[in-house]
Amino acid sequence: IQDERMDKKPRLFLLDAYALIFRGYYAFIRNPQINSKGQNTSAIMGFVNTLFDIIRRERPDHLAVCFDKDGSAERTALYPEYKAHRDKTPQDIIDSVPIIKDILKAMHIPSIELSGVEADDIIGTLSKKAEKEGFQVYMVTSDTDYAQLVSENIFMYRPASRGNGIEKWGIPEVQERFGVEDPLQVIDYMGMMGDPSDNIPGLPGVGKKTAAKFIAEFGSIENLLANTDQLRGKMKERVIEHAEQGLLSKKLATIITDYPIDFNEEKFKLEMPDAKEVQKIFEELEFRRLRDQFLRLFSAEEAATTPNPTANKSTQEKKKVAGSGQFSLFGSDEAESAEAYSSRQNLQTKNHFYQLVQPGLGTELFFEKLLEQKEVSFDIETTSLDTRTTDILGIAFSWESGKGYYLPINKELLADEEFRKKLQAFFSDENILKVGQNLKFDIKVLAHKGFSISGNLFDTMLAHYLINPDIRHNLEVLSETYLNYTPQPIEELIGKKGKKQGSMADVPLELQKEYAAEDADLTWQLKEHFEKELIDNNAKKLFDEVEVPLMAVLASMEIEGINLDTDFLKELAKGIDKDILKLEKEIYEEAGEEFNIASPKQLGDILFGKMKLVSNPKKTRTGQFSTGEEILTPLAQEHSIVANVLEYRGLAKLKSTYVDALPKQVAEDSKRIHTEYMQTVAATGRLSSTNPNLQNIPIRTERGRLIRKAFIPRDADHVLLAADYSQIELRIIASLSEETTMIEAFRRGEDIHASTASKVFNVPLEEVTREQRDRAKTVNFGIIYGVSAFGLSNQTDLSRTEAKELIDTYYETYPKLKDYVQNQVAFAREHGWVETVLNRRRYLPDINGRNAMIRGMAERNAVNAPIQGSAADIIKIAMIRIQDQLKEKNLKTKMLLQVHDELVFDVYKPELEKVKELITEAMENAFELRVPLKVDIGVGENWLEAH
């Protein structure tokens, strides 16, 4: 089965050796583990227990253990007292470390250490490098300092302080724990508060609460020191007096992420251990229980002797990677293994009956039985994820839990007319509900092979998206969450992603059958579950009437694609190259030397080290000068070199992301760009575009706008038409809030921003200045996103006081809008969710949280989600209606793109006027609001002209 988000990342676990060794040692401090030789094995036993628990729970793809060696030379040089007060390491631990390393060596798990470098920095460096290589990284440690490294793909994996449980810290957990918005602020938090365990001094008098308060108010220790005028009393004196100590503490608390350590994917793979050597060590240590655990967990003998109907000898011999599941996770004693691991089932443990449909009479009888069903789950097995070029290997079907059928298909069979008729009869049967997971993929694959699907559809991925939009919707997550079942990873059959990954075409038919039928079976079971939940969540109508019909519309758009003028982009690239060279020359002249402008370090050294553009430049956690856009933009007006650098960056990114990249994404067969739309990513209901992303093409710069000029009609008989909703979000908020003043302005057809400015600044409409209109526009849109006085001040030239006065005046002008905002937050507090005009729910678990920053984000979402989500719902309805009418009227015009509130069409010229009317009517009447919807339509020989 193919999930919409196929980017399931390999997982790397990095263990902080000494943190776990000390934890294991002191866990047995009251009852030390002493063997008959008088050897204290507490540290070894505790560490190995944790290691085995991770492998048993997580089945990691890659794993390594990182050791300190000789302390941190860099930190000690900065501050000789760093960790100087620590007690000497217990001799029992010192004696245990070489044995732990021997165990790791026998298990083929790499031990990583670097002289003068702490494990924190090794793990920090490896985490960031692995993240760039597409890995999800889990840092196994109880040390909270690691929270600063957490990102979307880097997590803390903390053994619980008591018992055998674990805590996984992602960004939300770090935010909640430390009261920060960005995990990087943990460094500032630690710098302010200090760390007695590491002898980091911090700021005197600053504890957890004060540090959290300072982070909330100032964001960083540098910003705190720059605003000491806002402090009072002794705290102000202490902060000013110990400013350098605070900055030093931040440096000491910063985990370094750029040490010369290579991340070698192959080296870190979890492989089959040297079982004899591990057992030998365990026997010497008298670890009988751990030896038995090891045998259950890693026994090659058991894997060879345990009957497995889904694997033959050659397949078992090929299995080398632990994450691919070759290790036996369960012993013969099911009760013991359940206690040790969990009750989650899989292909090997769950009773099932998956049957291979035999050719000839078997296939005839199967189709007879298939067409008798009322509901059928199906899953197509293909040779690749490219729906245009892939071959179909087979189709799995299920209509009863635990049962499934796999119909093998080859090119000869697919060319057989009688077979095609039988298969199409199933897909065309209006009386059979077709069930699938990410059906859009299957629809596209079938369409390219000449098949069409009609009748009712049920997509489990879409269903779950409406039930719980904020978590992942792939089959593995859904099965484990709702069915307590782990499906077979495809990597077990074809290997890991990369050049060495094989194809499903090379997998024996028996294994194909088990894998595919399992997917169809699980999808069937999930459908049974989600159907009830859709009703309970009041989402059945949204599912049946919007999301499922839209799926077919999107499939058609993706198949159609859009024409690209690659010659124009080549010429555009030449012009950008000339400008980049010119900017390089000017930057070098102003800097007085040549350097790598794209290198943040070299750029920072030039701007802030050599040229000293600011007196107190901000630095990164590794001590480099910060050169982010937020740092450079305020300096651009004063320093031409900075303006040139920003322009250089913009052009370089534009060229690499679009000008050079788009021609490479033109399909060989169609000579068109085929973006893919994902329905289940944005929690608000908005669509996401990928491969390529056509929703983020920059339009604020002249060169950025020119990218749209490259998108052209299919031929001289067609033109591009762009239809764009005018200020739909403002119309929605006016309607939902029932704000009469704003509603009337829309109904009179007034410029809403000028109208708002007229009322807020108390001037006649015709006398509104451009500056006043721009400020009103900022507030109008800012209200949707919960703008604060601070935020408005940053977006305009207003002071914070002026911004607050403007917002207060705005709410006085639109009192019902203010009531709406307050009512939305109150509703969310009571119910835990808000909803759109079509009852699409956005769940807000943090709305009553204790952390003010996180709670504030939830409050802003309580206001924003119904507005953004309603806009998404409305354009989806319009798309469905337009597609239906284009088809019904048998028109040649095609809908090509959806970009937020805009639709783009390839219009057959003789149909232009009819299509304009059809599109306008469908979009403006997609949903009835208190404010009329308005659509702006443009036509041109390219997208830029039409837009």
Side-chain angles (χ1 to χ4, degrees):
I1 194 160
Q2 312 299 344
D3 281 321
E4 183 161 346
R5 301 195 75 178
M6 287 302 299
D7 57 341
K8 183 188 173 188
K9 301 178 187 297
R11 297 181 306 153
L12 167 66
F13 281 69
L14 296 172
L15 279 62
D16 182 345
Y18 278 100
L20 300 178
I21 291 169
F22 273 84
R23 177 180 180 272
Y25 177 76
Y26 285 107
F28 293 106
I29 200 68
R30 292 185 180 179
N31 183 26
Q33 303 299 297
I34 311 293
N35 62 21
S36 63
K37 304 168 189 174
Q39 184 180 15
N40 186 330
T41 60
S42 298
I44 307 169
M45 181 176 288
F47 177 84
V48 174
N49 268 324
T50 301
L51 177 64
F52 282 7
D53 186 61
I54 290 166
I55 295 172
R56 187 163 44 232
R57 284 177 187 270
E58 302 296 340
R59 292 182 294 169
D61 309 286
H62 299 70
L63 188 146
V65 180
C66 304
F67 288 79
D68 298 313
K69 188 176 183 182
D70 307 322
S72 173
E74 192 163 331
R75 292 183 182 86
T76 305
L78 276 173
Y79 186 59
E81 291 79 20
Y82 177 72
K83 291 189 177 180
H85 68 303
R86 285 197 171 181
D87 294 335
K88 187 179 178 182
T89 302
Q91 188 61 42
D92 288 329
I93 290 181
I94 294 173
D95 295 339
S96 297
V97 170
I99 300 171
I100 289 172
K101 289 183 177 179
D102 286 342
I103 293 170
L104 293 172
K105 183 179 179 182
M107 291 181 67
H108 298 158
I109 293 173
S111 298
I112 313 297
E113 59 183 14
L114 195 64
S115 182
V117 179
E118 293 184 292
D120 312 40
D121 304 316
I122 294 173
I123 290 175
T125 299
L126 290 173
S127 294
K128 294 301 178 183
K129 288 187 176 183
E131 183 183 40
K132 288 179 181 177
E133 295 295 322
F135 280 70
Q136 277 191 344
V137 183
Y138 292 82
M139 305 175 294
V140 184
T141 181
S142 54
D143 189 346
T144 56
D145 294 4
Y146 285 79
Q148 63 187 267
L149 298 169
V150 169
S151 69
E152 287 187 7
N153 293 300
I154 300 176
F155 306 85
M156 282 185 67
Y157 190 97
R158 303 184 73 242
S161 56
R162 294 183 181 179
N164 297 320
I166 54 95
E167 299 171 0
K168 292 181 183 179
W169 284 12
I171 293 174
E173 288 77 16
V174 173
Q175 291 171 328
E176 179 70 23
R177 168 85 182 212
F178 294 93
V180 298
E181 189 166 11
D182 184 339
L184 283 173
Q185 291 176 306
V186 171
I187 306 171
D188 297 274
Y189 180 98
M190 301 298 294
M192 292 176 188
M193 194 179 74
D195 186 354
S197 66
D198 291 344
N199 208 29
I200 297 175
L203 295 170
V206 176
K208 290 182 179 180
K209 290 184 178 179
T210 306
K213 178 187 173 187
F214 283 165
I215 291 292
E217 290 182 14
F218 302 103
S220 69
I221 197 166
E222 290 87 353
N223 208 21
L224 167 66
L225 298 176
N227 291 278
T228 51
D229 58 308
Q230 296 184 36
L231 305 180
R232 297 287 180 269
K234 288 187 177 180
M235 180 58 72
K236 179 177 181 178
E237 294 173 9
R238 288 172 180 166
V239 171
I240 292 173
E241 182 182 348
H242 296 89
E244 289 302 316
Q245 180 174 297
L247 293 171
L248 171 64
S249 297
K250 180 174 178 178
K251 284 184 180 179
L252 295 173
T254 300
I255 294 176
I256 301 166
T257 60
D258 58 359
Y259 274 112
I261 306 167
D262 291 327
F263 170 64
N264 185 321
E265 180 177 344
E266 290 298 315
K267 179 181 177 182
F268 288 75
K269 274 186 179 178
L270 186 57
E271 296 186 346
M272 212 35 166
D274 183 338
K276 289 183 179 178
E277 184 62 25
V278 174
Q279 289 183 75
K280 179 183 174 184
I281 297 171
F282 281 0
E283 284 166 5
E284 289 175 356
L285 294 168
E286 300 176 4
F287 282 178
R288 297 177 184 85
R289 182 172 164 273
L290 279 176
R291 181 198 62 194
D292 293 341
Q293 281 189 32
F294 170 76
L295 290 173
R296 286 201 301 273
L297 200 58
F298 296 92
S299 174
E301 179 181 334
E302 179 179 324
T305 58
T306 300
N308 182 352
T310 68
N312 56 30
K313 183 179 178 183
S314 62
T315 305
Q316 289 189 358
E317 287 174 351
K318 289 178 184 176
K319 293 178 177 178
K320 296 262 178 98
V321 183
S324 296
Q326 94 289 357
F327 298 155
S328 171
L329 292 173
F330 300 93
S332 56
D333 185 338
E334 288 187 8
E336 183 179 351
S337 66
E339 182 180 341
Y341 181 50
S342 75
S343 61
R344 188 173 289 158
Q345 295 184 304
N346 55 37
L347 262 177
Q348 281 69 43
T349 63
K350 177 80 171 177
N351 289 331
H352 62 273
F353 178 71
Y354 298 154
Q355 187 174 349
L356 200 63
V357 178
Q358 299 298 328
L361 181 60
T363 301
E364 294 281 341
L365 295 173
F366 171 74
F367 274 119
E368 287 181 16
K369 192 172 184 179
L370 179 67
L371 294 172
E372 292 172 359
Q373 308 308 313
K374 295 298 181 187
E375 299 179 0
V376 175
S377 167
F378 77 95
D379 172 58
I380 301 177
E381 281 310 315
T382 60
T383 54
S384 77
L385 298 180
D386 186 341
T387 58
R388 304 187 65 81
T389 61
T390 190
D391 290 323
I392 297 176
L393 296 173
I395 306 178
F397 301 86
S398 178
W399 53 81
E400 186 178 347
S401 178
K403 294 184 179 180
Y405 305 87
Y406 186 60
L407 176 64
I409 297 174
N410 54 35
K411 290 183 179 179
E412 292 74 22
L413 188 59
L414 204 58
D416 183 271
E417 282 304 316
E418 284 303 310
F419 176 81
R420 292 182 65 87
K421 285 179 183 177
K422 288 183 174 66
L423 195 55
Q424 183 60 62
F426 164 71
F427 289 123
S428 301
D429 197 318
E430 300 278 347
N431 298 314
I432 302 176
L433 174 71
K434 269 75 75 176
V435 181
Q437 165 85 359
N438 188 21
L439 277 171
K440 179 155 67 68
F441 177 87
D442 301 291
I443 290 171
K444 290 167 64 179
V445 169
L446 290 168
H448 286 297
K449 302 302 179 187
F451 297 95
S452 60
I453 298 182
S454 55
N456 292 329
L457 303 175
F458 191 103
D459 190 312
T460 49
M461 187 168 67
L462 284 179
H464 188 258
Y465 172 62
L466 296 182
I467 293 164
N468 194 342
D470 289 294
I471 69 172
R472 290 182 297 156
H473 316 287
N474 64 50
L475 189 65
E476 180 184 9
V477 169
L478 299 184
S479 299
E480 291 183 346
T481 303
Y482 294 95
L483 305 178
N484 198 29
Y485 185 101
T486 299
Q488 182 183 28
I490 193 170
E491 291 84 2
E492 281 193 15
L493 302 178
I494 63 174
K496 296 289 180 183
K497 286 185 179 179
K499 294 179 180 178
K500 295 182 180 179
Q501 188 176 58
S503 166
M504 189 63 82
D506 302 322
V507 174
L509 204 54
E510 181 68 19
L511 297 183
Q512 282 186 40
K513 178 257 293 180
E514 290 289 301
Y515 175 80
E518 179 190 50
D519 283 356
D521 176 19
L522 294 175
T523 302
W524 169 260
Q525 294 180 49
L526 289 169
K527 179 261 177 188
E528 297 283 281
H529 189 93
F530 294 157
E531 199 166 37
K532 297 169 186 173
E533 287 211 24
L534 285 172
I535 295 170
D536 293 342
N537 285 269
N538 197 26
K540 189 70 165 66
K541 185 175 182 181
L542 178 62
F543 178 74
D544 288 335
E545 297 182 11
V546 178
E547 294 296 351
V548 171
L550 181 72
M551 176 177 60
V553 175
L554 296 176
S556 298
M557 292 165 63
E558 293 172 17
I559 291 169
E560 186 66 28
I562 188 168
N563 205 7
L564 190 74
D565 188 343
T566 53
D567 291 336
F568 170 78
L569 288 177
K570 286 178 185 175
E571 290 303 311
L572 186 60
K574 291 177 184 177
I576 292 176
D577 283 336
K578 287 181 182 177
D579 287 352
I580 287 175
L581 288 172
K582 181 183 175 185
L583 286 167
E584 278 183 352
K585 185 178 179 182
E586 291 178 8
I587 291 168
Y588 294 153
E589 286 176 358
E590 292 176 285
E593 63 178 276
E594 291 190 6
F595 63 99
N596 183 358
I597 303 169
S599 164
K601 184 180 186 308
Q602 292 185 36
L603 177 64
D605 289 343
I606 291 291
L607 298 181
F608 305 119
K610 179 181 179 181
M611 300 181 71
K612 301 189 184 302
L613 298 187
V614 294
S615 57
N616 187 25
K618 183 177 179 181
K619 291 188 177 182
T620 68
R621 56 185 177 170
T622 57
Q624 296 179 10
F625 294 111
S626 295
T627 59
E629 192 172 339
E630 74 284 358
I631 300 294
L632 298 187
T633 299
L635 302 175
Q637 291 183 344
E638 301 174 36
H639 306 284
S640 58
I641 186 172
V642 177
N644 284 337
V645 166
L646 289 174
E647 187 177 355
Y648 171 93
R649 282 182 177 177
L651 289 177
K653 183 178 180 181
L654 186 72
K655 186 171 184 291
S656 63
T657 308
Y658 296 104
V659 180
D660 292 341
L662 284 174
K664 297 174 184 176
Q665 292 178 293
V666 173
E668 288 186 15
D669 59 341
S670 67
K671 306 302 179 188
R672 293 162 78 82
I673 289 274
H674 299 270
T675 188
E676 297 173 33
Y677 289 101
M678 294 185 289
Q679 283 177 265
T680 62
V681 174
T684 57
R686 282 189 178 274
L687 297 174
S688 299
S689 166
T690 185
N691 298 325
N693 182 351
L694 299 183
Q695 295 186 332
N696 286 347
I697 295 176
I699 56 172
R700 294 185 179 179
T701 64
E702 182 183 354
R703 279 280 176 49
R705 286 190 291 272
L706 283 176
I707 300 295
R708 291 193 172 200
K709 195 172 181 180
F711 293 87
I712 56 176
R714 66 169 55 246
D715 54 37
D717 295 328
H718 289 73
V719 290
L720 290 189
L721 181 151
D724 195 357
Y725 274 120
S726 173
Q727 298 171 333
I728 187 170
E729 290 185 346
L730 290 178
R731 292 171 187 268
I732 289 170
I733 197 171
S735 298
L736 295 180
S737 65
E738 300 183 17
E739 180 49 69
T740 311
T741 309
M742 192 177 281
I743 290 171
E744 290 305 317
F746 272 122
R747 286 178 176 169
R748 288 193 297 268
E750 292 178 2
D751 176 339
I752 192 63
H753 303 311
S755 176
T756 298
S758 171
K759 294 174 177 62
V760 170
F761 297 110
N762 195 26
V763 295
L765 185 62
E766 61 275 9
E767 294 180 18
V768 169
T769 65
R770 182 180 184 85
E771 182 184 39
Q772 288 172 329
R773 183 187 182 278
D774 287 345
R775 288 180 176 179
K777 180 178 180 180
T778 303
V779 182
N780 270 332
F781 285 112
I783 292 301
I784 299 172
Y785 297 96
V787 71
S788 62
F790 176 76
L792 182 61
S793 175
N794 284 345
Q795 295 174 44
T796 63
D797 57 358
L798 296 170
S799 68
R800 200 177 299 186
T801 302
E802 290 172 328
K804 184 179 184 303
E805 288 175 356
L806 181 56
I807 290 174
D808 291 343
T809 306
Y810 182 91
Y811 278 132
E812 287 171 12
T813 305
Y814 298 131
K816 288 187 178 179
L817 201 153
K818 184 177 183 179
D819 290 343
Y820 169 77
V821 170
Q822 293 173 341
N823 291 339
Q824 281 296 105
V825 173
F827 181 92
R829 288 200 196 290
E830 181 180 352
H831 296 87
W833 50 267
V834 290
E835 62 183 4
T836 68
V837 294
L838 292 188
N839 306 120
R840 181 189 303 278
R841 290 184 183 178
R842 177 73 190 275
Y843 293 91
L844 303 166
D846 299 316
I847 193 69
N848 292 308
R850 287 175 294 176
N851 184 296
M853 188 176 295
I854 297 174
R855 187 175 66 249
M857 291 171 61
E859 290 170 356
R860 289 190 289 275
N861 279 331
V863 179
N864 168 250
I867 299 164
Q868 268 204 0
S870 293
D873 288 345
I874 289 170
I875 199 166
K876 286 178 177 180
I877 294 170
M879 292 169 71
I880 295 164
R881 291 184 180 179
I882 291 169
Q883 187 77 351
D884 286 345
Q885 290 187 45
L886 291 175
K887 191 173 180 180
E888 183 184 316
K889 297 180 187 298
N890 199 27
L891 298 175
K892 295 181 180 180
T893 294
K894 303 289 184 182
M895 183 158 47
L896 306 182
L897 303 177
Q898 190 261 32
V899 181
H900 304 309
D901 303 326
E902 177 183 8
L903 298 176
V904 179
F905 299 82
D906 215 344
V907 180
Y908 182 50
K909 287 179 179 178
E911 298 172 354
L912 181 58
E913 294 308 314
K914 183 187 290 188
V915 166
K916 275 186 182 179
E917 184 180 338
L918 181 156
I919 292 169
T920 302
E921 194 279 332
M923 291 181 72
E924 291 187 347
N925 293 285
F927 191 85
E928 187 175 346
L929 297 170
R930 288 180 172 82
V931 175
L933 292 171
K934 186 177 183 299
V935 174
D936 296 324
I937 286 186
V939 177
E941 293 303 319
N942 56 66
W943 186 8
L944 178 63
E945 231 179 78
H947 183 76

